[in-house]
Amino acid sequence: MNHKSNKLQLVKLGIDTQHEFIIYMHADCFVCKSEGFETQAQVLVSFNNHSIVAALNVVHSNILKSHEASLSESAWKALGVKEGDIVNLSHLAPVTSLTYVRSKIHGNPLKPEEIHEIITDIVAGKYSNIHLSSFVTASARNNLSIDEIISLTKSMIETGKQLHWDYPVVMDKHSVGGIPGNRTTPIVVAIVAAAGLVIPKTSSRAITSPAGTADTVETMTTVELTMSKMREVVAKEGGCMAWGGTLDISPADDIIIGVERALDIDPGGQMIASVLSKKAAVGATHVLIDIPVGPTAKIRSNQEFLKLKEYFALVGKAVGIHVLVLKTDGNQPVGKGIGPALEAKDILAIFNNEKDFSIDLKNKSIELAGTILELGHKASLGKGEALARKILESGAAFKKFLAICEAQGGFHLPPTAKYTHDVVATQSGIVTEIDNRNLAKIAKLAGAPHDPAAGIEFFARLGTHVTPGQPLYRIHAIAKGELEYSLAYAKTIPHVVKLDTKE
Amino acid sequence: MNHKSNKLQLVKLGIDTQHEFIIYMHADCFVCKSEGFETQAQVLVSFNNHSIVAALNVVHSNILKSHEASLSESAWKALGVKEGDIVNLSHLAPVTSLTYVRSKIHGNPLKPEEIHEIITDIVAGKYSNIHLSSFVTASARNNLSIDEIISLTKSMIETGKQLHWDYPVVMDKHSVGGIPGNRTTPIVVAIVAAAGLVIPKTSSRAITSPAGTADTVETMTTVELTMSKMREVVAKEGGCMAWGGTLDISPADDIIIGVERALDIDPGGQMIASVLSKKAAVGATHVLIDIPVGPTAKIRSNQEFLKLKEYFALVGKAVGIHVLVLKTDGNQPVGKGIGPALEAKDILAIFNNEKDFSIDLKNKSIELAGTILELGHKASLGKGEALARKILESGAAFKKFLAICEAQGGFHLPPTAKYTHDVVATQSGIVTEIDNRNLAKIAKLAGAPHDPAAGIEFFARLGTHVTPGQPLYRIHAIAKGELEYSLAYAKTIPHVVKLDTKE
């Protein structure tokens, strides 16, 4: 077919559609007409030997001329174009791997090469949200065997960039999400690197939570590192705290996670592939997995935990990673802060040994770091925690933390919000239950994470005895409107902190 | 929460996203900021006591000002707004029915009230493509019981408009798609109405095929009828041929079908609910279902056919419809024409008894019409076809067809394409197989259905003996570019018509 004349000039409309790649063309565009492109057609957009697949939105107004096209922000970035560039457009050849998705819908097991083709096509942008959601749904309900999970993990590693280190042992950690706060990473990285182990940690930004580790660290230093900058930091300090989003490791995972969040499901098989593909791709050899277990956490029973633990170990072995799984308390937030800067302040209070530091966050960080020290043979079995505590309390960890920040671009203090409001107890009682989900939502409505200073300081840990007027939590916001909005929502949910009021 | 100030003025950007409701707001918009709306947030958009749910696309250019918003074309139409209208924006309350979708993902049966809530939310636009695809996928693989299919059908009927007629018997027909041509409806409606039965037929436009019945009829008369106009036509002539899209019957079905087409799956349970919800909603009491069975048709085995037949009868009974299922030949196109005007010409050739009319289309139309005449007690068992043939060949059917067209807005002849090209046999042989799918694609690339005159005339029916140079099919196009494009694709698929070349 003759595609010589299928060229249009790019105009920037600046439309952010998140992950979805959209191409905009005018209804009178000759390419639409000659190619028979209709709305939602999948179009192969090429520029300088690089291609993406975008869904067509047809425009019936003068924001585009008939010889022009535009791309959604993510597609614009992925194709690496600038205004005025000429792109070539053609039909997307049929996506044969969708046959395997249909096979999975019908309950059939998939072969490794079939899973590889699906993941390759997902990374190439050939799957629309409809296709992605169908693949995710068809793979849920324990529909993936251990062999399929291993194939999925391997395919996700191979379809992205991979880091290789010259160190024989490279440590890493991951916390299965679901409870607010829990920002142990910066403390753990500092202790582990101070002890002389290598820990090139990459983290994600928040997608639906009030803060991701990358958001928190960003309130204190630069997290958008290039691959070479990251290597430089690790070579110098033994550890780093980078945002994984710029590194193109396991890109299929980022796409699939977006769909899972929208569906609010996190099927076990895909979770294991997600975590271990990222860890393998960054070159980790030893990984600690922190799994909070509790009635409102992601993992709710010991039985679920044990199955997950077994699968993590099997898949880890298949991709060459030594995995250690730790069961932790998933009943309530870890630390006081919920939101990027507030979580950073929790961390700094621990490093500085301030008087009202969060003991739970400190202890959990020491527990995780201690386990990693044992895993990396820096401490013998049972001695890791003591060593981790010593490194933290001696100030060596803080020194390492500041050195890593310096190497990444310099340390600065997290910002403070202008407006605060205390939500107080209206009765006496003992805190018996915490609604983690709505607590996170209130923090988000206050502006977290897009306003880094916004969020919640949480005071009412389980077992706390409160009296009327005593603050349960404090909302932080940078604008009065956002404070009020968050507060209005909080008032509709009086039982975020549940009290036992019996005498 | 105070939404008094959440108002923006509408500007028309004219972006067609097909079914998806999108709202566009500027990144600096105060509503985005104060509400904490981020890209892909689900926003409740209200105007004059009417609301829709739209996904947010944030705009970073001057196509919108910060106090302005825009809606995708389908959302604009659904909300019934005009440029300059002020809309109110707020957060969508959590969609509780997604809990039931997750339950179905985990393989649990759904209660009637749960299915009803899902369908209600789908019609209200609360499900994104991701949610819809998950529901469709989780319901495939025979995951719907007969009770669930009945609940689904009832919910789809109840969440749209319903027609009620004063006639005791109201006939209808439906052909399960999958083979090109097969445009029996106008002939069947004409015969049945001429015989004195009531048949208020609604049809769809093409979504992925080269023509829908509504597209074909539109080349001869008006098909976009209001509800009252449709009643008027039926009262006067006993039948009509309207496009169902304007009538708001079973709107959930239109939404779900869009997702199924994208996935290229048509799970049995949902297909039955789709067909029977539309038939019940238009007030049909007796429905004939035409199911073509063949190796490349939608239904490929007699076993599949028998199960579908049983389920159609059970669901029909539950919603008060007498259903009769007919197995027909699904091996090849029915009629010569593929494309709106070419199919219309086939129909007119039969009405006019022209010398080269399509005998297969005529016979199938007579078979279907005859069965309906028996079903409506206009003919005794076994005598329907003879009566149907008599009505057709006497000219009574054509007279009725023209009268219906006249009542709908006047009859006119279908258009003719300017460019044609014959694809010819290169060898001698007997036609043994036809690739229905690629035949449809070639017709689409030639411009059908958006150019009504474009498409294919097909000459090489199964068993035809062809010699080199003999035309297998003729491509019709209104532009030279489209003809060439279609032809270039046809050349990549030499076996659209497969020959047995052995002597």
Side-chain angles (χ1 to χ4, degrees):
Chain A
M1 275 168 269
N2 180 5
H3 294 314
K4 271 178 296 191
S5 57
N6 285 349
K7 292 185 185 305
L8 294 175
Q9 187 167 31
L10 284 182
V11 173
K12 189 142 182 162
L13 296 179
I15 301 176
D16 179 7
T17 58
Q18 216 169 39
H19 295 298
E20 276 193 284
F21 289 178
I22 303 287
I23 182 162
Y24 303 89
M25 294 191 218
H26 196 277
D28 294 335
C29 161
F30 68 96
V31 179
C32 280
K33 291 187 167 176
S34 67
E35 290 283 316
F37 284 154
E38 287 166 46
T39 290
Q40 297 299 359
Q42 287 190 282
V43 179
L44 193 69
V45 190
S46 308
F47 178 74
N48 276 354
N49 298 321
H50 185 47
S51 293
I52 58 162
V53 179
L56 175 62
N57 280 191
V58 173
V59 174
H60 300 264
S61 77
N62 62 6
I63 59 172
L64 278 182
K65 296 193 181 71
S66 65
H67 65 283
E68 294 174 339
S70 189
L71 294 170
S72 60
E73 292 290 90
S74 53
W76 190 278
K77 201 172 163 188
L79 195 57
V81 286
K82 59 181 194 305
E83 194 133 21
D85 281 344
I86 308 287
V87 288
N88 194 74
L89 308 161
S90 59
H91 277 278
L92 177 66
V95 181
T96 53
S97 70
L98 289 172
T99 312
Y100 313 137
V101 174
R102 284 189 284 273
S103 178
K104 181 44 89 182
I105 293 173
H106 292 112
N108 304 313
L110 297 181
K111 297 187 192 119
E113 61 271 23
E114 292 171 340
I115 290 180
H116 192 80
E117 198 176 322
I118 290 172
I119 295 299
T120 303
D121 285 343
I122 287 176
V123 172
K126 295 182 183 176
Y127 278 43
S128 71
N129 274 343
I130 289 176
H131 301 136
L132 288 167
S133 176
S134 186
F135 175 61
V136 167
T137 301
S139 306
R141 193 186 167 185
N142 299 322
N143 277 342
L144 293 182
S145 68
I146 185 74
D147 288 339
E148 288 176 308
I149 298 171
I150 289 169
S151 297
L152 191 61
T153 310
K154 286 182 174 172
S155 301
M156 286 163 87
I157 297 165
E158 289 158 10
T159 49
K161 286 209 180 117
Q162 293 176 58
L163 275 87
H164 300 283
W165 303 95
D166 291 332
Y167 317 107
V169 174
V170 176
M171 312 306 298
D172 210 333
K173 75 164 276 280
H174 177 83
S175 288
V176 170
I179 53 169
N182 199 21
R183 201 59 58 208
T184 55
T185 291
I187 304 171
V188 171
V189 168
I191 295 172
V192 171
L197 286 170
V198 174
I199 182 162
K201 182 79 181 82
T202 60
S203 304
S204 56
R205 293 189 187 280
I207 302 186
T208 60
S209 71
T213 295
D215 300 310
T216 298
V217 176
E218 196 172 39
T219 67
M220 300 179 283
T221 188
T222 311
V223 295
E224 296 198 14
L225 308 183
T226 60
M227 200 69 102
S228 64
K229 180 74 181 174
M230 180 172 162
R231 287 189 167 280
E232 187 189 311
V233 175
V234 173
K236 189 154 179 258
E237 301 297 344
C240 70
M241 302 168 296
W243 176 44
T246 34
L247 303 170
D248 200 28
I249 46 175
S250 191
D253 181 45
D254 295 333
I255 298 168
I256 289 171
I257 278 180
V259 172
E260 290 174 344
R261 295 273 159 94
L263 292 174
D264 207 3
I265 61 172
D266 194 2
Q270 277 152 330
M271 182 174 81
I272 294 166
S274 162
V275 171
L276 291 184
S277 67
K278 287 234 154 116
K279 296 309 172 197
V282 297
T285 60
H286 292 67
V287 176
L288 175 67
I289 309 283
D290 156 31
I291 303 186
V293 180
T296 62
K298 199 176 278 180
I299 307 303
R300 302 184 176 190
S301 73
N302 195 49
Q303 197 190 347
E304 258 184 283
F305 168 78
L306 289 174
K307 192 187 168 196
L308 206 53
K309 182 178 171 166
E310 184 201 345
Y311 271 39
F312 261 119
L314 287 170
V315 178
K317 199 174 171 191
V319 298
I321 296 177
H322 184 97
V323 175
L324 198 144
V325 177
L326 205 66
K327 180 174 160 185
T328 59
D329 175 17
N331 289 291
Q332 58 184 331
V334 177
K336 281 204 304 280
I338 303 169
L342 293 166
E343 293 177 23
K345 287 177 180 183
D346 264 4
I347 290 162
L348 292 173
I350 290 168
F351 277 139
N352 285 317
N353 207 20
E354 287 168 21
K355 65 176 186 335
D356 61 345
F357 70 83
S358 301
I359 184 75
D360 58 330
L361 179 60
K362 179 175 172 177
N363 286 340
K364 181 162 181 182
S365 302
I366 287 171
E367 184 189 3
L368 297 180
T371 309
I372 295 174
L373 294 179
E374 293 173 9
L375 200 57
H377 300 297
K378 285 287 168 184
S380 51
L381 221 59
K383 308 280 184 193
E385 282 198 31
L387 178 59
R389 183 175 298 274
K390 197 179 138 201
I391 293 171
L392 180 58
E393 293 183 346
S394 70
F398 191 32
K399 202 175 144 198
K400 176 56 77 179
F401 175 79
L402 291 173
I404 293 172
C405 289
E406 201 53 50
Q408 292 194 181
F411 171 79
H412 51 82
L413 287 171
T416 299
K418 194 171 168 188
Y419 298 94
T420 62
H421 182 95
D422 285 2
V423 174
V424 301
T426 52
Q427 287 179 287
S428 287
I430 294 179
V431 178
T432 55
E433 225 178 288
I434 294 157
D435 181 348
N436 290 326
R437 229 180 148 91
N438 270 309
L439 206 54
K441 182 147 191 194
I442 294 165
K444 284 187 70 186
L445 290 174
H450 62 94
D451 300 332
I456 282 178
E457 261 183 296
F458 185 73
F459 308 121
R461 294 186 56 73
L462 293 176
T464 307
H465 187 276
V466 299
T467 52
Q470 184 175 331
L472 300 172
Y473 58 93
R474 182 173 297 151
I475 301 175
H476 293 242
I478 64 160
K480 215 168 174 180
E482 283 178 307
L483 181 67
E484 283 166 4
Y485 188 63
S486 169
L487 204 55
Y489 182 79
K491 279 181 184 156
T492 66
I493 321 240
H495 294 300
V496 166
V497 176
K498 205 168 174 183
L499 299 179
D500 179 355
T501 54
K502 285 174 296 211
E503 286 311 305
Chain B
M1 276 168 266
N2 179 5
H3 294 311
K4 270 179 296 190
S5 57
N6 285 349
K7 292 185 187 303
L8 295 176
Q9 187 168 28
L10 285 183
V11 173
K12 188 140 183 165
L13 295 179
I15 301 176
D16 178 8
T17 59
Q18 217 171 36
H19 295 299
E20 276 195 282
F21 289 178
I22 304 287
I23 182 162
Y24 302 89
M25 293 191 218
H26 197 277
D28 294 336
C29 160
F30 68 96
V31 179
C32 280
K33 290 186 167 176
S34 67
E35 291 282 317
F37 284 153
E38 288 165 44
T39 290
Q40 297 299 359
Q42 287 189 283
V43 179
L44 193 69
V45 190
S46 308
F47 178 73
N48 276 355
N49 297 321
H50 185 47
S51 293
I52 58 163
V53 179
L56 176 63
N57 280 191
V58 173
V59 174
H60 301 264
S61 78
N62 61 6
I63 58 172
L64 278 181
K65 297 193 181 69
S66 65
H67 66 282
E68 293 174 339
S70 188
L71 295 170
S72 60
E73 294 289 271
S74 53
W76 190 279
K77 200 171 163 188
L79 195 57
V81 287
K82 59 182 194 305
E83 194 132 21
D85 281 343
I86 307 287
V87 289
N88 194 74
L89 308 161
S90 59
H91 276 278
L92 177 67
V95 181
T96 52
S97 70
L98 289 172
T99 312
Y100 313 136
V101 174
R102 284 189 285 273
S103 179
K104 181 44 88 183
I105 293 173
H106 292 113
N108 304 314
L110 297 181
K111 297 185 193 121
E113 60 272 24
E114 292 172 340
I115 289 179
H116 192 81
E117 198 176 322
I118 290 172
I119 296 300
T120 303
D121 285 343
I122 287 176
V123 172
K126 294 182 183 177
Y127 277 44
S128 71
N129 273 343
I130 290 176
H131 301 137
L132 288 168
S133 176
S134 187
F135 175 61
V136 167
T137 301
S139 306
R141 193 187 167 183
N142 299 322
N143 277 341
L144 293 182
S145 67
I146 186 74
D147 287 340
E148 288 176 307
I149 298 170
I150 289 170
S151 297
L152 190 60
T153 310
K154 286 182 174 172
S155 300
M156 286 163 85
I157 297 166
E158 288 159 10
T159 48
K161 287 210 179 117
Q162 293 175 58
L163 274 88
H164 299 283
W165 303 95
D166 291 332
Y167 317 106
V169 173
V170 176
M171 312 306 297
D172 210 334
K173 75 164 276 281
H174 177 83
S175 288
V176 170
I179 52 169
N182 200 21
R183 200 61 57 210
T184 55
T185 291
I187 304 171
V188 171
V189 167
I191 295 172
V192 170
L197 285 170
V198 174
I199 182 162
K201 182 80 182 79
T202 61
S203 304
S204 55
R205 292 188 187 279
I207 303 186
T208 61
S209 69
T213 295
D215 300 310
T216 298
V217 175
E218 197 172 37
T219 67
M220 299 179 283
T221 187
T222 311
V223 295
E224 295 198 15
L225 308 183
T226 60
M227 200 71 102
S228 63
K229 181 73 182 175
M230 181 172 161
R231 288 189 167 280
E232 188 189 310
V233 174
V234 173
K236 189 154 179 257
E237 302 297 342
C240 70
M241 301 169 295
W243 177 44
T246 35
L247 302 171
D248 201 28
I249 46 174
S250 191
D253 180 45
D254 295 333
I255 298 168
I256 289 171
I257 278 182
V259 172
E260 290 174 345
R261 296 273 159 94
L263 292 174
D264 207 3
I265 61 172
D266 194 3
Q270 277 151 330
M271 181 174 82
I272 294 166
S274 163
V275 171
L276 292 184
S277 67
K278 287 234 153 117
K279 296 308 171 198
V282 297
T285 60
H286 292 69
V287 176
L288 174 67
I289 310 283
D290 156 30
I291 304 186
V293 181
T296 63
K298 200 176 274 179
I299 307 305
R300 301 183 177 193
S301 71
N302 195 48
Q303 196 189 348
E304 258 185 282
F305 167 77
L306 288 175
K307 193 187 168 195
L308 205 54
K309 182 177 171 168
E310 183 201 346
Y311 272 39
F312 260 118
L314 286 169
V315 177
K317 198 174 172 192
V319 298
I321 296 178
H322 184 95
V323 175
L324 198 145
V325 177
L326 204 65
K327 181 174 160 186
T328 58
D329 176 18
N331 289 292
Q332 58 184 332
V334 177
K336 279 203 305 279
I338 303 169
L342 292 166
E343 293 177 23
K345 287 177 180 183
D346 265 3
I347 291 163
L348 292 174
I350 290 169
F351 277 139
N352 284 317
N353 207 20
E354 288 168 20
K355 66 176 184 338
D356 61 343
F357 69 82
S358 301
I359 184 78
D360 58 329
L361 179 62
K362 179 175 173 178
N363 285 340
K364 181 163 179 181
S365 301
I366 287 172
E367 183 188 2
L368 297 180
T371 310
I372 295 175
L373 294 180
E374 292 172 10
L375 200 58
H377 300 297
K378 285 287 168 183
S380 52
L381 220 60
K383 308 279 183 193
E385 283 200 31
L387 177 59
R389 184 176 297 275
K390 196 180 139 200
I391 293 171
L392 179 58
E393 293 183 347
S394 70
F398 191 31
K399 201 176 146 197
K400 175 55 77 177
F401 176 79
L402 291 173
I404 292 172
C405 288
E406 201 53 48
Q408 291 193 181
F411 171 79
H412 51 82
L413 285 172
T416 299
K418 193 170 166 189
Y419 298 93
T420 62
H421 182 94
D422 285 3
V423 175
V424 301
T426 53
Q427 287 179 287
S428 287
I430 293 178
V431 178
T432 55
E433 226 179 288
I434 294 158
D435 181 347
N436 290 326
R437 228 180 150 91
N438 271 309
L439 206 54
K441 183 148 190 193
I442 294 165
K444 284 187 69 188
L445 290 174
H450 62 93
D451 300 332
I456 283 179
E457 261 182 295
F458 186 73
F459 308 119
R461 296 186 55 73
L462 293 175
T464 307
H465 188 275
V466 298
T467 52
Q470 184 174 333
L472 299 172
Y473 58 93
R474 181 173 296 153
I475 301 175
H476 292 241
I478 64 160
K480 213 167 176 182
E482 283 177 308
L483 181 68
E484 283 167 5
Y485 188 62
S486 170
L487 203 56
Y489 183 78
K491 279 182 183 154
T492 68
I493 321 235
H495 294 299
V496 167
V497 176
K498 205 169 174 182
L499 300 179
D500 180 354
T501 55
K502 282 175 297 208
E503 286 312 304

